[in-house]
Amino acid sequence: MEYNDLRNIALIAHVDHGKTTLVDAMLKQSGTFRENQKVKERIMDSNDMEQERGITIFSKNASVYWNNVKINIVDTPGHADFGGEVERILRMVNGVLLIVDAFEGPMPQTRFVLRKSMELNLIPIVVINKIDRANARPEEVLNEIYDLFIELGANDEQIDFPVIYTSAQVGSAGFSPDCLENNLEVLFSTIVKNVPSPVIYNKQNLQMLITNLDYDDYVGKIAVGLIVAGKIEQGQSVTLIKRDNRHIKGKVVKLYVFEGLDKVESKQALSGEIIALAGIEAANIGETIAELDNPEALSGIIVDEPTLTIDFKVNDSPFAGQEGSFVTSRHLRERLFKEIDTNVSLKVEETETMDTLRVSGRGELHLSILIEKMRREGYEFQVSKPRVIFRYIDNKKYEPIELMTCDIPKEYLSTVMRVCGIRKAELVNMQDFSSDQLRLEFQIPARGLIGLRNELLTLTQGKGIMNHVFLEYQPYKGYIPSRSKGVLIAFEDGISSTYGLYNAQARGNLFIGPATKVYQGMIVGENKRDNDLEVNVNKKKHVTNMRASGSDEALRLEKPQDLTLEQALEFIQDDELIEITPRSIRLRKKILDHNSRYQYRKNLA
């Protein structure tokens, strides 16, 4: 049997191609909200970090009704670093809306999410969005999408996809870029017509794959997933099959289905429905909820391996414990091992020392979001420079290679080529993107990406756009030069003064302003030269009873460079750390004492 009045779809797209805005329009036009209800923009981006960054980080569920057909919508992240979210969510749906910007066209992340959906034989519907942009090029973008499908080995059914043109901002859609209706009726009807209904296996034993977790203060942990077979009822006793094949008995205390943006309590749910249930506290992602008497496990969720690793250490700086609530190794260990229950593409490993844990993820953004989450929760710790994970195949060293796309003004071509060449990037494609812009495609070692985004923005005066996605492992490409400049290091503990900073800024770019507490070994700026330099930023002007013309003129300080977390991760070297607290992000040397640091360098030499 088929569940004819139900459709399960996922929305997949590159960052900033309008996916979440389209969900807003679908919710509004389906009657989910009252006419006079005040609704914020990007409704699905409910997390604080998502609102601040303007990107989707965590997958979320919603539903709309169209002509008595319920459409379950799963909003997925558009960044490849959160591929673990995408890979598990696609197991819940029968079709995908592939949303592509009418100007930018398919990007590296588009390739990533499309490949994952094709591997699961999901039915695609292509949505070319932002059709009302002044520089939109829908025909060329559609040809690029066809090329991408062919390149990824699409079968005849997958490549015969329907195409919808939309302007999510105004909520219009149509089958032609020149003829849009003032609503999304075309989109809704295409979903109902082309996406297959879930197949009902109500007479079989219960099988539900847990693909997401939520939490409620009243009922505790909530498991979200698709009922693959059988049916489930509130109050039913079930078996949780763990990843290690252990069986744990439990009871469904609360059962919910998704209505609009809300979870609505239900007495029963049939196979093919996406549900949420409470009462199984031991539940984790990738595990199966099955019948009590004859439990059968579903195949687990397989995600790509991490490519980047970073060390999380207990904060041992002179300011340790002053700003954070959770500062011990026990706090750090418990929080990180709890994270892997929900963050399936993350790995946490013990190291030789008790105060350090090695955390591996899919990319710099994946790890920086974890760090940001923890500091907002009150944790205080230190992190090292990100390192690439190498593999050894037949005694040969292999490293992760990324496919990188750069959109740059034409006048910066030679500059960008030179910088990318130093980082062992190989140009694989170049095309005129518009009258004054080029699109360059490189294969570049993941090592070469560290620090490249900021350098590219500087070289192109903020006009360059860079995106990348993991491609494959290739033989080691050789040495890549690291940061070319040294740092300015605080000479002693104290509070920075205007006079001390004024003298220090002649040596380079400062990271701190006056009246900032510093400690010996803390990094306070970037040196203009390639060596590290110790400076006394606490130095005060000597007071005398002598006056001279102009001597009392106010000292002018340049605005300090306020490094974001991602910029700090790109900036530091192997002998440096980032001190993370709920209120501060500080850079420091691993060895704080200058005499010990000098002796260490001498021994290495």
Side-chain angles (χ1 to χ4, degrees), residues 144-202:
E144 291 171 7
I145 294 170
Y146 276 118
D147 292 341
L148 179 58
F149 269 79
I150 293 168
E151 186 182 333
L152 294 176
N155 57 38
D156 292 342
E157 185 181 9
Q158 289 170 330
I159 208 166
D160 188 24
F161 52 78
V163 182
I164 308 293
Y165 299 90
T166 65
S167 172
Q169 193 72 43
V170 297
S172 60
F175 289 116
S176 167
D178 303 319
C179 185
L180 300 186
E181 299 177 13
N182 293 324
N183 52 56
L184 297 177
E185 293 288 311
V186 168
L187 179 61
F188 286 127
S189 62
T190 304
I191 292 171
V192 172
K193 178 182 176 183
N194 291 274
V195 176
S197 307
V199 179
I200 300 177
Y201 299 104
N202 285 335

Side-chain angles (χ1 to χ4, degrees), residues 31 36 54 59 114 143 166 196 303 306 327 338 459 471 514 519 530 584:
N36 63 343
S59 57
L114 179 59
N143 288 331
T166 65
V303 298
V327 298
K338 180 183 176 184
L459 293 172
L471 183 64
Y519 52 80
D530 60 358
S584 308

